[in-house]
Amino acid sequence: MDNGTTMTPRGFGLSLTWLVRLRWITALGQGLAILVAKRLLPDELTAWPLLCLVAFGALSNLALMARLRQPEPVQPALPGLILGLDVLLLTGLLYGSGGAANPFTAIYLVHITLAAVVMRGLWAWSLGALSLAGFGILFVWNVHIHSLSHMDHGGGDGISLHLVGMWVAFAISAALIAAFVGLITEALRQRDEELAALRDLTARQARLAALTTLAAGVAHELGTPLGTIAIAAKELLRSTEAMGLQGSSLALDAALIREEVGRCRRILDQMAGPTGTTQGEPFQSLDWADLEADLLEGLGAEDRDRLTFHWPSSPGGTLPRKGLARTLRALVSNALEATARPGKVQVSARLEGGSWTLGVADEGIGMTPEVLARVGEPFFSTKPTGSGMGLGLFLARTFAEQLGGELCVDSQPGRGTRVQLTWPQVAHG
């Protein structure tokens, strides 16, 4: 989990791949710079220790490439450790080539910028402090190169005022770069996250709109055939009743047909309605007793006894009551189906931190992580074919988001499932 001190897991592969390429370019540039400097200063510069440091950096890059090819996830600290190693290698190269008098000390600022872009928080500031310490050390300890020295850099005993000023200017520049680049990078990350969430919400709303149109069309087309079947079943029932005992079995079949037709009509009425949305529905005061009555409506005596309600003493505020009843009825239906009889299903509500949380907990077999990752997708269901459309959790999630809340599902194999619907106490002003 991202704790604010490392880059997001989503960016590991991209940042590390980009970092590997940048380190190859850096190693090549450092090698060429050392060779050119050796040619210009053949008697003052010892090149082979510096080339060894460049070679070590190249070997570490090969090791990093090998690590990226492995299937195991990359640790969040790895980019920071790589950048820290690069700061130490740069300090070593500058130590052997004139120290603070080397004009390439400005490359420290490049590393600080990289740390602010790739890492976050504590890591970025730690790498900035490491660069600052490395630059400060070069004022005291270095391999002196006369051709790179400045007339004001070494006068008298100790460090000159000019060197102190260079170090302070570097510290201020490093802090400003780390702060501003870090803020900009964090703002870009937040914008990307918000855009991704908005795209996801827009896609779900589009699916919901298509589902609403489809449901209304299906309800309209099936209404007439079901009405015909209901009339035929009613006539059949009258005929069998006139037959006495001989038509008793047929009467039961006719009654069953009428009952199932009525069930289909109720389902179609729900499909032809708002299909889980709250648009156009007035906000009303929520009474827990009325909500409980809505949930018990249409359930058999056995299922009624399996439900346990825990309502708070305070009223539930104002919200679309019909939409909440439809949403909660779907969750309760799923919980009853998932719990083997005579297992119980708990329905509870509580007000906490200015938000209402309504939970439905069952005693079923629970969900595997693979199934849990897909809950809420439209038309995804673990029920047998024909037993459900896989829309209950999708519509519940949409309902919660329209109220400014969210839907959370907690489930483990063998421990049942708990679905929580959360929305602000004051959904609309």
Short mmCIF file of all heavy atoms in Angstrom, two decimals, residues 197-226:
data_model
loop_
_atom_site.label_atom_id
_atom_site.label_comp_id
_atom_site.label_asym_id
_atom_site.label_seq_id
_atom_site.Cartn_x
_atom_site.Cartn_y
_atom_site.Cartn_z
N ALA A 197 -10.52 7.63 -11.76
CA ALA A 197 -11.77 7.37 -11.05
C ALA A 197 -12.96 7.93 -11.82
O ALA A 197 -14.03 7.31 -11.88
CB ALA A 197 -11.72 7.99 -9.65
N LEU A 198 -12.79 9.11 -12.44
CA LEU A 198 -13.88 9.70 -13.22
C LEU A 198 -14.18 8.87 -14.45
O LEU A 198 -15.36 8.67 -14.81
CB LEU A 198 -13.50 11.13 -13.61
CG LEU A 198 -14.56 11.92 -14.39
CD1 LEU A 198 -15.83 12.05 -13.56
CD2 LEU A 198 -14.04 13.30 -14.76
N ARG A 199 -13.14 8.38 -15.12
CA ARG A 199 -13.38 7.51 -16.29
C ARG A 199 -14.11 6.24 -15.89
O ARG A 199 -15.01 5.77 -16.60
CB ARG A 199 -12.04 7.17 -16.96
CG ARG A 199 -11.45 8.30 -17.77
CD ARG A 199 -10.33 7.80 -18.65
NE ARG A 199 -9.22 7.30 -17.86
CZ ARG A 199 -8.17 8.02 -17.50
NH1 ARG A 199 -8.09 9.29 -17.88
NH2 ARG A 199 -7.19 7.51 -16.79
N ASP A 200 -13.72 5.68 -14.74
CA ASP A 200 -14.38 4.46 -14.27
C ASP A 200 -15.85 4.74 -13.95
O ASP A 200 -16.73 3.95 -14.30
CB ASP A 200 -13.65 3.94 -13.03
CG ASP A 200 -14.18 2.60 -12.56
OD1 ASP A 200 -14.34 1.70 -13.41
OD2 ASP A 200 -14.45 2.45 -11.36
N LEU A 201 -16.12 5.88 -13.28
CA LEU A 201 -17.50 6.22 -12.95
C LEU A 201 -18.31 6.49 -14.21
O LEU A 201 -19.47 6.06 -14.32
CB LEU A 201 -17.51 7.45 -12.04
CG LEU A 201 -18.89 7.96 -11.61
CD1 LEU A 201 -19.65 6.88 -10.86
CD2 LEU A 201 -18.76 9.23 -10.77
N THR A 202 -17.73 7.18 -15.18
CA THR A 202 -18.44 7.46 -16.43
C THR A 202 -18.77 6.17 -17.17
O THR A 202 -19.88 6.02 -17.72
CB THR A 202 -17.58 8.37 -17.33
OG1 THR A 202 -17.29 9.58 -16.62
CG2 THR A 202 -18.31 8.70 -18.61
N ALA A 203 -17.83 5.22 -17.17
CA ALA A 203 -18.08 3.94 -17.84
C ALA A 203 -19.22 3.19 -17.16
O ALA A 203 -20.08 2.61 -17.83
CB ALA A 203 -16.81 3.10 -17.85
N ARG A 204 -19.23 3.22 -15.81
CA ARG A 204 -20.32 2.53 -15.10
C ARG A 204 -21.66 3.20 -15.34
O ARG A 204 -22.69 2.53 -15.49
CB ARG A 204 -20.01 2.46 -13.60
CG ARG A 204 -18.91 1.49 -13.25
CD ARG A 204 -18.96 1.13 -11.78
NE ARG A 204 -18.81 2.30 -10.92
CZ ARG A 204 -17.65 2.78 -10.50
NH1 ARG A 204 -16.54 2.21 -10.90
NH2 ARG A 204 -17.60 3.82 -9.71
N GLN A 205 -21.65 4.54 -15.39
CA GLN A 205 -22.90 5.24 -15.66
C GLN A 205 -23.41 4.94 -17.06
O GLN A 205 -24.62 4.81 -17.28
CB GLN A 205 -22.68 6.75 -15.49
CG GLN A 205 -22.37 7.19 -14.07
CD GLN A 205 -23.57 7.06 -13.14
OE1 GLN A 205 -24.68 6.79 -13.57
NE2 GLN A 205 -23.34 7.23 -11.85
N ALA A 206 -22.48 4.82 -18.01
CA ALA A 206 -22.89 4.48 -19.37
C ALA A 206 -23.49 3.08 -19.43
O ALA A 206 -24.50 2.84 -20.11
CB ALA A 206 -21.69 4.59 -20.32
N ARG A 207 -22.85 2.14 -18.71
CA ARG A 207 -23.42 0.77 -18.67
C ARG A 207 -24.78 0.77 -18.01
O ARG A 207 -25.69 0.04 -18.43
CB ARG A 207 -22.46 -0.16 -17.93
CG ARG A 207 -21.17 -0.45 -18.68
CD ARG A 207 -20.46 -1.65 -18.09
NE ARG A 207 -20.01 -1.39 -16.73
CZ ARG A 207 -18.80 -0.96 -16.41
NH1 ARG A 207 -17.93 -0.70 -17.38
NH2 ARG A 207 -18.45 -0.77 -15.16
N LEU A 208 -24.92 1.59 -16.96
CA LEU A 208 -26.21 1.64 -16.27
C LEU A 208 -27.29 2.23 -17.18
O LEU A 208 -28.42 1.75 -17.20
CB LEU A 208 -26.08 2.48 -15.00
CG LEU A 208 -27.36 2.62 -14.16
CD1 LEU A 208 -27.84 1.26 -13.68
CD2 LEU A 208 -27.12 3.55 -12.99
N ALA A 209 -26.94 3.27 -17.94
CA ALA A 209 -27.91 3.86 -18.86
C ALA A 209 -28.34 2.86 -19.92
O ALA A 209 -29.53 2.74 -20.25
CB ALA A 209 -27.31 5.11 -19.51
N ALA A 210 -27.36 2.10 -20.45
CA ALA A 210 -27.70 1.07 -21.44
C ALA A 210 -28.56 -0.01 -20.81
O ALA A 210 -29.51 -0.51 -21.44
CB ALA A 210 -26.42 0.48 -22.01
N LEU A 211 -28.24 -0.36 -19.57
CA LEU A 211 -29.03 -1.39 -18.89
C LEU A 211 -30.45 -0.93 -18.65
O LEU A 211 -31.41 -1.69 -18.81
CB LEU A 211 -28.35 -1.73 -17.56
CG LEU A 211 -29.09 -2.71 -16.65
CD1 LEU A 211 -29.23 -4.07 -17.32
CD2 LEU A 211 -28.36 -2.85 -15.32
N THR A 212 -30.61 0.35 -18.27
CA THR A 212 -31.95 0.89 -18.03
C THR A 212 -32.79 0.86 -19.31
O THR A 212 -33.96 0.47 -19.30
CB THR A 212 -31.84 2.33 -17.51
OG1 THR A 212 -31.07 2.34 -16.31
CG2 THR A 212 -33.21 2.91 -17.23
N THR A 213 -32.18 1.25 -20.42
CA THR A 213 -32.90 1.23 -21.70
C THR A 213 -33.28 -0.18 -22.10
O THR A 213 -34.41 -0.45 -22.54
CB THR A 213 -32.02 1.86 -22.79
OG1 THR A 213 -31.68 3.19 -22.40
CG2 THR A 213 -32.76 1.91 -24.12
N LEU A 214 -32.33 -1.10 -21.93
CA LEU A 214 -32.61 -2.50 -22.26
C LEU A 214 -33.70 -3.07 -21.39
O LEU A 214 -34.61 -3.77 -21.87
CB LEU A 214 -31.32 -3.31 -22.13
CG LEU A 214 -31.45 -4.83 -22.34
CD1 LEU A 214 -31.90 -5.13 -23.76
CD2 LEU A 214 -30.13 -5.51 -22.03
N ALA A 215 -33.62 -2.79 -20.07
CA ALA A 215 -34.62 -3.33 -19.15
C ALA A 215 -36.01 -2.82 -19.46
O ALA A 215 -36.99 -3.58 -19.43
CB ALA A 215 -34.23 -2.96 -17.71
N ALA A 216 -36.12 -1.53 -19.77
CA ALA A 216 -37.43 -0.98 -20.10
C ALA A 216 -37.99 -1.61 -21.36
O ALA A 216 -39.19 -1.92 -21.45
CB ALA A 216 -37.34 0.54 -20.25
N GLY A 217 -37.14 -1.83 -22.35
CA GLY A 217 -37.59 -2.46 -23.58
C GLY A 217 -38.03 -3.90 -23.35
O GLY A 217 -39.05 -4.35 -23.90
N VAL A 218 -37.25 -4.64 -22.55
CA VAL A 218 -37.61 -6.04 -22.25
C VAL A 218 -38.93 -6.09 -21.50
O VAL A 218 -39.81 -6.94 -21.79
CB VAL A 218 -36.48 -6.71 -21.44
CG1 VAL A 218 -36.93 -8.06 -20.91
CG2 VAL A 218 -35.24 -6.87 -22.31
N ALA A 219 -39.09 -5.20 -20.51
CA ALA A 219 -40.34 -5.20 -19.74
C ALA A 219 -41.53 -4.90 -20.64
O ALA A 219 -42.61 -5.51 -20.49
CB ALA A 219 -40.24 -4.15 -18.63
N HIS A 220 -41.36 -4.00 -21.58
CA HIS A 220 -42.46 -3.66 -22.49
C HIS A 220 -42.80 -4.83 -23.40
O HIS A 220 -43.98 -5.15 -23.61
CB HIS A 220 -42.08 -2.43 -23.31
CG HIS A 220 -43.10 -2.08 -24.34
ND1 HIS A 220 -44.31 -1.49 -24.02
CD2 HIS A 220 -43.10 -2.24 -25.70
CE1 HIS A 220 -45.01 -1.29 -25.12
NE2 HIS A 220 -44.30 -1.73 -26.16
N GLU A 221 -41.79 -5.49 -23.94
CA GLU A 221 -42.03 -6.57 -24.89
C GLU A 221 -42.61 -7.82 -24.22
O GLU A 221 -43.41 -8.53 -24.81
CB GLU A 221 -40.72 -6.95 -25.59
CG GLU A 221 -40.16 -5.85 -26.49
CD GLU A 221 -41.08 -5.55 -27.66
OE1 GLU A 221 -41.79 -6.47 -28.11
OE2 GLU A 221 -41.09 -4.38 -28.12
N LEU A 222 -42.19 -8.09 -22.97
CA LEU A 222 -42.66 -9.31 -22.30
C LEU A 222 -43.96 -9.10 -21.55
O LEU A 222 -44.58 -10.07 -21.10
CB LEU A 222 -41.58 -9.81 -21.32
CG LEU A 222 -40.28 -10.32 -21.94
CD1 LEU A 222 -39.33 -10.80 -20.86
CD2 LEU A 222 -40.56 -11.47 -22.92
N GLY A 223 -44.38 -7.85 -21.41
CA GLY A 223 -45.61 -7.60 -20.65
C GLY A 223 -46.82 -8.27 -21.27
O GLY A 223 -47.62 -8.93 -20.58
N THR A 224 -46.99 -8.14 -22.57
CA THR A 224 -48.17 -8.73 -23.24
C THR A 224 -48.17 -10.25 -23.20
O THR A 224 -49.19 -10.86 -22.85
CB THR A 224 -48.24 -8.23 -24.69
OG1 THR A 224 -48.34 -6.79 -24.69
CG2 THR A 224 -49.44 -8.82 -25.42
N PRO A 225 -47.05 -10.94 -23.57
CA PRO A 225 -47.06 -12.42 -23.47
C PRO A 225 -47.35 -12.92 -22.06
O PRO A 225 -48.09 -13.90 -21.89
CB PRO A 225 -45.66 -12.81 -23.93
CG PRO A 225 -45.18 -11.67 -24.76
CD PRO A 225 -45.79 -10.45 -24.16
N LEU A 226 -46.80 -12.27 -21.06
CA LEU A 226 -47.05 -12.72 -19.69
C LEU A 226 -48.51 -12.49 -19.30
O LEU A 226 -49.09 -13.31 -18.58
CB LEU A 226 -46.13 -11.96 -18.72
CG LEU A 226 -44.65 -12.39 -18.72
CD1 LEU A 226 -43.84 -11.49 -17.80
CD2 LEU A 226 -44.51 -13.85 -18.31
#
